[in-house]
Amino acid sequence: MLVRKLRPEELWQARLVQAVAFEGSFDLAEEKEKCKAGSFSEDAAYEKSADYWAAFGEGESPCACLVTSHFQARFDGHVVGLGGVGGVASLPANRRGGAVRACMQEALRGLYRHGDALSALYPFSTGYYQKFGYANGVESRLWEVPMGDLPQGDFGGRVRQLFPGEDLAPLLAVYNAFYQECNLSVLREAYDKELLEKDLLKEKRYIYLWEDEKGEPGAFCIAGRDGDTLDMRTDFSARNGFLFRDARGFQALLSFIRRAFLSNFKTVRFALPAWAAAAPLLPECAHMKRESFFNGMVRAINVEKLLGLCACKGDGVLTLEAADPLLEENNAVFRLSFREGTENQVERVQEKPDIRLGTGELGALLCGVHSVEALRWMPQVKVENPAAPLAQVFYPKPCHVTELF
């Protein structure tokens, strides 16, 4: 089966596959026109930071496709390449024939050649993508709190509304403060370029920014109505948001929301990574609702590079055997030698490993999704040497990815 990147003028073929797979509307003539050479540069659906991969069966048209997006993300004090995978689709007549797997393998090889260390995706099925070397990412929590149970009081500073055309740099400042030591968080030029392109007033979405007494941005929300709920969550249907620098910013902005919207809404809804401890900042928790969900899946793309950059505690040596179902470059035994104050040393060796694990579990563990205590509940991970310095390499860290791809 042939798999290759699509050229700009061919992208309508990928969109056709996606429209059929996801039961979306599709105008063939319009899409072909958009993809004509010359007018393509104006097409926002394709950027230099994205690659469209397609698998071809017996015909000249693709039967499966996916998109890889290239980001620069934080990882243990370093900046690494993160490949986002999205738009995975196949035509119904070609399903279960290996087209998606072939497409995924070439796309991941492309990420490896591109120099990326990690990959992430948002799955329709976690079990399906485990076959491709991915594992669940960080646990996130969706909060829904009655308006009357939000913090109240004078937290100082001021709240102002940002209207279309105003400077949105304060949002990026808060984003960078919240995610400054967070693995998988992407480096951005703007908080959300969509905010510069859309008229939020027409969409009935609004931006509120809290600043301290010195005028420093400390918290913001992008919110819209969902029935009787003020919705501040970010997902594919509504790219809203709620971020803050610290506890004071969290309470100050929610206090404003309570005061301003108590008579307009019954509840407020927001999502945060599990490591952001919001419960102690809420004065009343008896009536709130909190649901947990996984914020996508993650895998190592370049095991050797990831081990060379991971932050370990103290001094030690750990030997790992990685198993990758799609990238044979990762199928090896690696000896990781680490010493405080020096760079990690990574070698490919012919030794019995201390631990055997897949690229998904390795990526999740190194990013900080799990503590070493979780290994006992991971049957796909085999610890051969319990005395090895596992806890010095695998320990909880803030991690979260918010890009949508």
Side-chain angles (χ1 to χ4, degrees), residues 157-169:
R158 66 163 185 167
V159 172
R160 60 188 180 95
Q161 184 171 358
L162 301 183
F163 291 99
E166 293 193 44
D167 182 18
L168 300 180

Side-chain angles (χ1 to χ4, degrees), residues 98-175:
V100 168
R101 183 181 182 85
C103 211
M104 181 71 77
Q105 184 166 34
E106 286 303 314
L108 294 183
R109 284 174 177 166
L111 296 180
Y112 191 96
R113 291 193 297 267
H114 187 263
D116 293 344
L118 289 160
S119 176
L121 55 77
Y122 300 97
F124 77 94
S125 163
T126 57
Y128 180 80
Y129 285 103
Q130 285 173 3
K131 299 182 297 185
F132 302 138
Y134 286 85
N136 283 330
V138 68
E139 181 183 341
S140 294
R141 292 169 181 169
L142 181 64
W143 300 75
E144 187 164 336
V145 185
M147 280 289 174
D149 291 347
L150 294 176
Q152 55 181 317
D154 184 5
F155 294 92
R158 66 163 185 167
V159 172
R160 60 188 180 95
Q161 184 171 358
L162 301 183
F163 291 99
E166 293 193 44
D167 182 18
L168 300 180
L171 308 189
L172 182 61
V174 176
Y175 169 86

Side-chain angles (χ1 to χ4, degrees), residues 212-401:
D212 66 14
E213 291 78 4
K214 297 180 180 180
E216 292 293 325
F220 74 85
C221 70
I222 305 170
R225 178 181 289 275
D226 181 13
D228 290 328
T229 298
L230 185 65
D231 195 351
M232 306 192 303
R233 62 179 171 172
T234 301
D235 61 20
F236 287 96
S237 61
R239 296 176 66 167
N240 294 325
F242 174 46
L243 288 177
F244 42 89
R245 285 180 178 269
D246 51 28
R248 183 188 178 198
F250 176 98
Q251 292 183 305
L253 188 57
L254 289 187
S255 176
F256 156 77
I257 288 173
R258 181 188 189 280
R259 183 172 64 254
F261 299 112
L262 184 61
S263 60
N264 300 83
F265 299 91
K266 292 182 178 180
T267 60
V268 62
R269 181 188 299 134
F270 54 88
L272 294 171
W275 50 263
L281 302 175
L282 296 170
E284 177 59 68
C285 295
H287 310 295
M288 71 175 189
K289 297 178 182 179
R290 191 179 75 179
E291 299 178 7
S292 293
F293 63 95
F294 291 107
N295 185 241
M297 302 180 77
V298 65
R299 75 157 3 245
I301 290 294
N302 189 318
V303 169
E304 189 168 356
K305 177 180 289 189
L306 208 59
L307 291 173
L309 298 176
C310 69
C312 304
K313 296 180 178 180
D315 305 341
V317 177
L318 181 65
T319 306
L320 314 90
E321 182 177 16
D324 194 323
L326 297 181
L327 295 177
E328 61 184 29
E329 296 90 340
N330 288 327
N331 289 319
V333 177
F334 300 89
R335 182 196 295 133
L336 167 63
S337 303
F338 52 94
R339 177 173 294 179
E340 194 168 350
T342 65
E343 294 184 358
N344 294 348
Q345 301 298 312
V346 182
E347 303 172 84
R348 293 172 182 256
V349 296
Q350 299 292 327
E351 298 178 4
K352 182 180 178 180
D354 298 317
I355 184 171
R356 305 176 193 269
L357 69 176
T359 50
E361 292 73 33
L362 180 60
L365 284 162
L366 291 179
C367 285
V369 173
H370 307 290
S371 67
V372 71
E373 287 76 15
L375 293 177
R376 62 183 295 199
W377 306 112
M378 301 169 73
Q380 64 275 39
V381 176
K382 179 67 173 177
V383 177
E384 301 287 359
N385 179 15
L390 298 168
Q392 293 174 247
V393 179
F394 305 136
Y395 55 92
K397 309 167 192 173
C399 60
H400 197 231
V401 59

